[in-house]
Amino acid sequence: MKNRKEQVGRRRFVASMGLLSMTGLGAAPRLDAQPTQSDESPILKVGPYLQAPRPDSITIRWITTVPSYSWVEFGETPDQLSQKAHRVNAGLVEANNTVQAITLRNLLPGKQYAYRICSKALTGFDPYKITYGDTFTSDVFTFTTPSADADRVRFVVLNDIHDRPDSFAHLLQLPELPEKDFVFLNGDMFDYQTDEDQLVNHLLKPVTSLFATQIPFILSRGNHETRGKFARQLVNYFDGHDQPFYYSFRQGPVYGIVLDSGEDKADDTPVYAGIVDFDQYRLEQAEWLKQEVRKKEFRQAKYRVVFSHIPLFYSGDWHGPMHCRKVWGPILNDANIDLLISGHTHKYGIHPAVKGEHSYPIVIGGGPQAGRRTIISVQADKAALTVTMLNDAGKTVGKLTV
């Protein structure tokens, strides 16, 4: 049984997250946002949030304020959390860390599960004596594993938020949006990477309060996610699949391919100071992409959707877009994909296929200023794949049916 302090802490945490989800549209917070405070709990900083959904597994992440030993209790119903999972590396159970990532395995596709996260503070870690402090236990949440056999899938796409966390609540709570199986964040959630508190305050807290405890999100890296002193730590907080930032997934009738378009300028641009190599990285992805589009699962999928923050067309003649077009364009044309969803340009639009250039339509989301922001809703079933683009007033500004 939890003590009174822990119960009060948890109620304060839930209440504060509920207030966050009700925030309206205000001035854009910048990167000098105040560091995250741990008033909600003496242990929990943010979370939980769901990552890397697969038919037989899912990863649950959260961040603690102090080094901890953490685990997940889960089961098929909220009153039967009889299973426990923690993370083991080479025989050692992960502990004495603050960034938690625990994968639940051997799940069944298309099935709902219940879970709660638990973290026990480590106040001493001597060679032959480990001392524990308080334990945090969250409320119980649920999630549903994806299934390749599902008749339909529904998801939404946001892009180019650029450190304006209020935009999440504004766009995701538009009444015109349908229910969703996952949320796709298609790059440039930030201006540049500063520290963990920026990730927490400008992304993880907003999405966790709105949906991410029960609905997973996918983060596709934009060119602004590659900038700043914390960019190289980004991989420690999010999960892709086989690779951190480019991979494929299958849900219902949709086979999705996520490409990491990298920077929009040449590698030798002085501002990069000689420490980027995106040309080679895009070539690496091209070789992977050639193999990906040959897979039986890809070829037999009813709809094949590709995500890339930088669109291969309609984004100027900068080096990044042109190199993406050169190394990926022929592969995507030959693969008969149905759709490319992008951002980057801050100018929304739906561009039909153009013979001799791109054999597929390209949907580009807007952003980040009020009046230019969009959210893209995708619904796919056996009859059709429908894309609806809404502006931040909830008005339909583009529609496409495959």
Side-chain angles (χ1 to χ4, degrees):
M1 180 177 293
K2 292 177 286 294
N3 61 38
R4 178 173 177 80
K5 179 180 179 181
E6 291 167 346
Q7 292 173 333
V8 172
R10 188 174 68 181
R11 287 197 294 270
R12 294 175 65 192
F13 167 70
V14 173
S16 68
M17 298 305 270
L19 289 172
L20 177 60
S21 70
M22 299 299 290
T23 55
L25 176 65
R30 306 311 303 163
L31 294 182
D32 57 356
Q34 293 298 311
T36 299
Q37 301 299 314
S38 56
D39 293 340
E40 303 92 349
S41 160
I43 298 177
L44 186 70
K45 187 171 186 177
V46 71
Y49 57 100
L50 302 176
Q51 294 280 280
R54 287 184 173 178
D56 61 352
S57 66
I58 198 165
T59 298
I60 302 173
R61 281 186 170 270
W62 67 99
I63 303 174
T64 54
T65 59
V66 294
S68 306
Y69 160 57
S70 297
W71 67 96
V72 176
E73 297 172 351
F74 68 103
E76 295 185 3
T77 60
D79 58 347
Q80 292 183 335
L81 304 182
S82 58
Q83 301 183 66
K84 176 183 176 180
H86 52 201
R87 189 166 184 167
V88 181
N89 291 317
L92 293 174
V93 174
E94 189 166 280
N96 204 35
N97 56 305
T98 59
V99 180
Q100 317 297 334
I102 296 176
T103 300
L104 310 187
R105 305 185 189 278
N106 300 317
L107 306 179
L108 297 175
K111 186 174 181 60
Q112 186 180 86
Y113 291 88
Y115 77 95
R116 64 187 175 200
I117 61 170
C118 307
S119 288
K120 183 182 293 187
L122 283 167
T123 57
F125 206 122
D126 297 320
Y128 301 103
K129 183 180 180 181
I130 295 175
T131 306
Y132 292 110
D134 293 338
T135 298
F136 171 80
T137 302
S138 76
D139 287 327
V140 177
F141 305 100
T142 61
F143 65 86
T144 301
T145 52
S147 172
D149 297 327
D151 292 332
R152 67 173 182 175
V153 63
R154 302 160 297 176
F155 61 93
V156 296
V157 183
L158 295 91
N159 59 274
D160 295 279
I161 298 296
H162 283 285
D163 282 301
R164 292 165 168 83
D166 285 347
S167 290
F168 289 109
H170 185 94
L171 293 169
L172 286 165
Q173 294 183 128
L174 289 173
E176 294 81 5
L177 289 175
E179 295 295 317
K180 52 193 175 293
D181 298 302
F182 66 91
V183 174
F184 196 96
L185 305 180
N186 205 9
D188 284 6
M189 298 299 105
F190 311 97
D191 286 334
Y192 47 84
Q193 309 305 293
T194 302
D195 55 25
E196 183 181 272
D197 284 324
Q198 178 201 15
L199 299 185
V200 171
N201 293 329
H202 290 188
L203 174 60
L204 295 179
K205 275 195 172 183
V207 301
T208 299
S209 72
L210 291 164
F211 67 87
T213 57
Q214 302 189 81
I215 298 173
F217 70 88
I218 298 172
L219 177 70
S220 173
R221 194 169 65 164
N223 55 302
H224 282 265
E225 270 83 46
T226 69
R227 301 175 183 177
K229 62 184 179 181
F230 206 67
R232 287 157 181 80
Q233 282 70 51
L234 197 68
V235 68
N236 298 326
Y237 296 84
F238 305 98
D239 293 272
H241 286 282
D242 297 329
Q243 296 289 334
F245 298 118
Y246 68 90
Y247 45 84
S248 63
F249 65 91
R250 175 72 186 273
Q251 188 155 351
V254 170
Y255 193 106
I257 290 179
V258 182
L259 293 171
D260 185 356
S261 49
E263 266 294 359
D264 56 1
K265 293 177 280 296
D267 290 338
D268 60 1
T269 302
V271 72
Y272 300 147
I275 56 172
V276 300
D277 192 359
F278 286 108
D279 280 0
Q280 183 59 41
Y281 181 55
R282 285 186 283 259
L283 289 170
E284 171 190 312
Q285 292 180 71
E287 293 304 310
W288 170 84
L289 184 60
K290 290 176 185 177
Q291 301 302 316
E292 192 67 25
V293 299
R294 294 191 184 115
K295 288 182 177 179
K296 180 180 178 181
E297 296 85 353
F298 173 85
R299 291 184 283 106
Q300 292 185 347
K302 186 167 183 61
Y303 308 108
R304 297 171 289 273
V305 180
V306 177
F307 303 84
S308 171
H309 173 72
I310 297 178
L312 279 60
F313 295 84
Y314 313 107
S315 55
D317 58 357
W318 291 56
H319 175 79
M322 298 303 291
H323 195 242
C324 290
R325 184 189 306 182
K326 177 182 177 181
V327 301
W328 299 341
I331 305 171
L332 296 179
N333 277 334
D334 291 343
N336 296 316
I337 69 168
D338 295 293
L339 178 65
L340 172 66
I341 302 180
S342 297
H344 184 64
T345 66
H346 298 185
K347 184 178 181 181
Y348 62 81
I350 295 180
H351 305 273
V354 176
K355 186 176 181 179
E357 293 189 352
H358 52 92
S359 60
Y360 46 86
I362 299 176
V363 175
I364 302 175
Q369 294 86 2
R372 301 178 65 182
R373 300 169 300 177
T374 61
I375 186 167
I376 300 167
S377 172
V378 181
Q379 300 188 71
D381 56 29
K382 293 181 179 180
L385 182 148
T386 303
V387 179
T388 304
M389 187 183 300
L390 304 175
N391 65 12
D392 53 13
K395 178 182 177 182
T396 298
V397 293
K399 197 156 189 174
L400 170 72
T401 300
V402 176

